[in-house]
Amino acid sequence: MASALVRHARREDASLILEMIRELAEYEHELDTVQATVETLQETIAFAPSTDTGPNTSSIPNTEPITPTRPARCLLLFSPEGAPAGMALYFYNYSTWRAKNGIYLEDLFVRPEHRKKGYGQRLLSELAKETIAMNGGRLEWSVLKWNEPSIKFYESIGAQAMNEWVGMRVDGPALPKLAAILDG
């Protein structure tokens, strides 16, 4: 039996990544807040070269470098039949207490028709391998409190809820307001 293929996204995959972002946003009842475009994804993701024909997962020597304007990477998963089935969009973070880098998974998405096949676990496993290969300290992500199926899945693979932490965010009009606090 053929297995799913996981590889780093290529520049020409940007429209596929956008499709999956929109599908995830629809699932999370946030479709109207998606501002990403093919062009903005191409400007902000560090891609693997188009000439790469094989899997490129736990080591990433052939991808574009991470920069402040291109901070993200994306793994794509294709079913044994070649259908695009899922993605893991991520970036690197840092733990001051451990003095180690790590991976923050921004979005994990498996299309509904491909769920219950182990694809989500496969994508997480590939990210765990990458974290280990870079001697990273942790792989982490957030999940919506109402998303019980995902929470149960994550707990089943050994993830622990960080209930003592509260996520904080500054965006929209609050971001320039915060930036200007000392200016006025």
Side-chain angles (χ1 to χ4, degrees):
M1 173 181 232
S3 65
L5 169 73
V6 176
R7 66 166 171 80
H8 277 91
R10 302 171 186 147
R11 186 164 300 283
E12 61 268 23
D13 295 321
S15 60
L16 172 60
I17 295 167
L18 182 58
E19 285 176 27
M20 289 196 212
I21 289 170
R22 294 182 62 76
E23 290 170 32
L24 174 60
E26 186 171 22
Y27 173 75
E28 293 181 354
H29 313 291
E30 292 287 336
L31 184 57
D32 58 338
T33 64
V34 174
Q35 296 177 10
T37 66
V38 168
E39 294 77 22
T40 58
L41 292 173
Q42 288 177 332
E43 293 169 1
T44 56
I45 295 175
F47 290 103
S50 297
T51 58
D52 183 12
T53 57
N56 183 16
T57 55
S58 62
S59 62
I60 51 172
N62 297 331
T63 56
E64 296 172 340
I66 292 290
T67 67
T69 58
R70 196 178 298 275
R73 296 199 189 279
C74 184
L75 288 178
L76 293 174
L77 184 140
F78 297 86
S79 72
E81 300 75 34
M87 72 165 189
L89 207 149
Y90 66 100
F91 56 89
Y92 301 105
N93 61 12
Y94 186 78
S95 168
T96 53
W97 290 10
R98 293 182 176 155
K100 285 190 170 209
N101 55 345
I103 289 179
Y104 186 86
L105 174 61
E106 180 67 21
D107 284 318
L108 176 71
F109 179 71
V110 175
R111 289 182 155 159
E113 65 271 23
H114 294 285
R115 292 183 185 153
K116 307 285 187 206
K117 297 179 181 178
Y119 293 165
Q121 186 170 354
R122 171 78 187 275
L123 286 164
L124 287 168
S125 177
E126 295 296 343
L127 288 176
K129 288 176 188 175
E130 186 171 325
T131 304
I132 291 167
M134 62 188 210
N135 194 29
R138 61 183 173 212
L139 168 60
E140 60 187 332
W141 61 93
S142 297
V143 60
L144 290 167
K145 289 182 180 183
W146 61 259
N147 194 344
E148 279 297 316
S150 292
I151 292 170
K152 287 180 180 173
F153 163 67
Y154 295 142
E155 290 174 341
S156 77
I157 62 165
Q160 296 175 328
M162 303 294 292
N163 293 327
E164 66 275 12
W165 292 87
V166 174
M168 303 296 291
R169 177 180 294 164
V170 177
D171 64 1
L175 189 58
K177 183 178 176 183
L178 176 59
I181 283 179
L182 296 178
D183 294 342

